[in-house]
Amino acid sequence: MSFGDPNNPYGQQQGGQPGGQPGGQQPGYGYPQQAPQGVPQQGYGYPQAPPVQGGYGFPGGPNEMPGGVKASRVLLYVIAGLQVVGAIFVMLAAAAVNAAKNDPTLQEDVQFQQLADYSGGVLWAIAVFAVLWGAFAVVLAAKFGKGGSGLRVTTIIFGVITAILGIYPFVVIGLIHTVLAVLVIVFVAKSDGEAWFNRRQQPQY
């Protein structure tokens, strides 16, 4: 009996093993077969990389409020504080006009009484407007965390009106408001501010 006999079932096989495995090699038991070359395989025991978070160049937008937006938010609170302080001074002026109106030596002066009535009414109206305008600034600043294109546009309009009012008619006491309002407009209108307010909100789970 010869090992070279092709009719011998126990002899050495010629040209390959049963099952079509060339070269006499069979896949080992317990080990995965190798994937074809060029096909990426996920490593065992290693999770896939997390998705890239949205940034300035991604649809999600920035995840952290930019420095300019934070600064404009603080400036809005400062404007609101100045509005309250200004309203207090205007109220004191209105009270002074009312006290002068009740002065016995001036009660018979018709022109002064008319001027006092007009001035007192205007001063009280200015005081109320100052308080409401300051409250509006606080509301805008409080919503900066949520963002939104509408909020950005409203803030810019608020800054423009505040800057104009600071120039006329309150040029003496409103110059600081004008400077702060211009800074708010610049910070909110910048590209990073636009990316923050126009970012797409991610769903919370």
Side-chain angles (χ1 to χ4, degrees):
M1 183 180 298
S2 173
F3 290 102
D5 187 1
N7 297 322
N8 184 3
Y10 299 99
Q12 183 177 1
Q13 298 295 328
Q14 300 292 330
Q17 295 293 333
Q21 296 293 333
Q25 295 182 357
Q26 294 184 357
Y29 296 100
Y31 296 94
Q33 298 183 4
Q34 293 181 354
Q37 294 182 358
V39 178
Q41 294 291 327
Q42 180 179 353
Y44 296 99
Y46 295 94
Q48 294 182 353
V52 178
Q53 297 292 334
Y56 294 107
F58 298 92
N63 294 324
E64 183 179 356
M65 186 181 298
V69 179
K70 292 181 180 178
S72 62
R73 189 182 198 180
V74 173
L75 293 178
L76 285 175
Y77 286 124
V78 173
I79 290 176
L82 293 177
Q83 290 292 115
V84 173
V85 174
I88 293 174
F89 281 105
V90 173
M91 290 178 183
L92 293 176
V97 171
N98 188 53
K101 177 183 176 181
N102 296 328
D103 190 343
T105 59
L106 298 175
Q107 286 183 351
E108 296 180 359
D109 191 339
V110 179
Q111 293 182 355
F112 176 80
Q113 293 296 324
Q114 292 177 351
L115 180 61
D117 291 337
Y118 175 78
S119 300
V122 171
L123 289 175
W124 283 111
I126 293 175
V128 172
F129 174 78
V131 173
L132 294 178
W133 198 248
F136 187 32
V138 172
V139 172
L140 292 177
K143 292 184 177 181
F144 268 36
K146 295 182 180 180
S149 58
L151 177 63
R152 176 173 175 265
V153 173
T154 305
T155 303
I156 293 176
I157 295 175
F158 173 87
V160 171
I161 296 176
T162 303
I164 294 175
L165 292 177
I167 297 174
Y168 179 83
F170 308 110
V171 62
V172 178
I173 61 176
L175 185 59
I176 298 178
H177 288 75
T178 300
V179 174
L180 297 180
V182 171
L183 291 176
V184 169
I185 296 172
V186 171
F187 289 144
V188 173
K190 289 175 60 178
S191 59
D192 56 351
E194 181 181 4
W196 171 257
F197 286 102
N198 293 337
R199 76 193 191 282
R200 184 175 60 190
Q201 295 292 329
Q202 301 294 335
Q204 301 294 330
Y205 297 99

